[in-house]
Amino acid sequence: MTAFKHIFSTLLSLCVLLLFSCSKDGDFNYAKNCLETVQKEFDSGSSDFSLDMLSYAYNYFNGHTNQDMGAWAHYLNAVVRRKAGLGSDSEWYDDLVKGCEHVSKTNNHQLASDLFLAYGLADIDHRWYEASLPLFRRSLEEAAVCGNVRNQVLSLMNISRAYMLGAIGNN
């Protein structure tokens, strides 16, 4: 009888462990799906975002150590909430800073280019023209690595813009 209890206990423990691991994978996949959905909405130029999905994914990836997903969640939280007029400049800026910290630990050059470009634009909005220059240069480098011509052009245009606005501001 004791051997039966031990086998039953072991099988029960394995079932619980299996269910727990499936649940973890399901949560990750759902959070990733949420980011993909919000990214598609943002890319389409929509002004109607799935903010509940964004919030779920943002909170999920803030609590987990996946650098790629964490960077993506911070990026989307900043740009979507800014476009929707939710939150403050400091909240958006904080998300961009955290996103850049995460993406620097990955090889996701496309996301890095997007993040550094958005971060540089936030600096220009704050009239920190000199501070924006290294961010635009980093965006340009990352865009060149992944072959994103659009971000290369936007980075170059904003480098010129930062120099021009900085020169005007110094006069």
Side-chain angles (χ1 to χ4, degrees):
M1 200 67 165
T2 335
F4 178 73
K5 284 183 180 179
H6 178 69
I7 291 171
F8 181 73
S9 172
T10 304
L11 286 174
L12 185 60
S13 297
L14 287 174
C15 287
V16 168
L17 182 64
L18 181 64
L19 286 173
F20 181 70
S21 70
C22 289
S23 173
K24 286 176 69 175
D25 287 344
D27 288 346
F28 176 87
N29 289 333
Y30 178 70
K32 182 180 177 189
N33 184 37
C34 288
L35 289 178
E36 290 170 347
T37 300
V38 173
Q39 183 72 54
K40 287 176 190 171
E41 292 170 349
F42 181 74
D43 290 345
S44 72
S46 172
S47 61
D48 185 29
F49 299 105
S50 303
L51 295 174
D52 290 337
M53 293 179 94
L54 176 61
S55 178
Y56 177 84
Y58 180 79
N59 291 326
Y60 179 84
F61 289 119
N62 259 342
H64 294 78
T65 57
N66 187 313
Q67 299 295 333
D68 259 337
M69 295 294 140
W72 192 14
H74 282 291
Y75 168 72
L76 282 178
N77 198 53
V79 296
V80 166
R81 287 175 51 84
R82 185 172 191 181
K83 188 172 182 179
L86 302 170
S88 66
D89 279 347
S90 62
E91 290 172 332
W92 304 325
Y93 200 77
D94 188 47
D95 272 327
L96 291 172
V97 170
K98 288 178 183 174
C100 288
E101 289 171 3
H102 284 293
V103 84
S104 294
K105 299 172 187 170
T106 71
N107 288 323
N108 190 337
H109 301 290
Q110 175 61 47
L111 181 57
S113 176
D114 290 340
L115 263 163
F116 285 105
L117 183 61
Y119 190 1
L121 290 171
D123 276 355
I124 282 186
D125 289 346
H126 285 99
R127 297 182 183 185
W128 300 331
Y129 307 120
E130 288 182 38
S132 70
L133 291 171
L135 299 169
F136 290 133
R137 288 188 187 108
R138 178 77 185 270
S139 176
L140 180 63
E141 291 168 6
E142 297 289 345
V145 170
C146 68
N148 185 331
V149 176
R150 177 186 174 275
N151 278 12
Q152 288 175 328
V153 170
L154 288 172
S155 296
L156 286 170
M157 287 173 43
N158 282 297
I159 288 171
S160 298
R161 182 176 168 216
Y163 274 120
M164 181 188 71
L165 292 172
I168 291 170
N170 288 333
N171 285 336

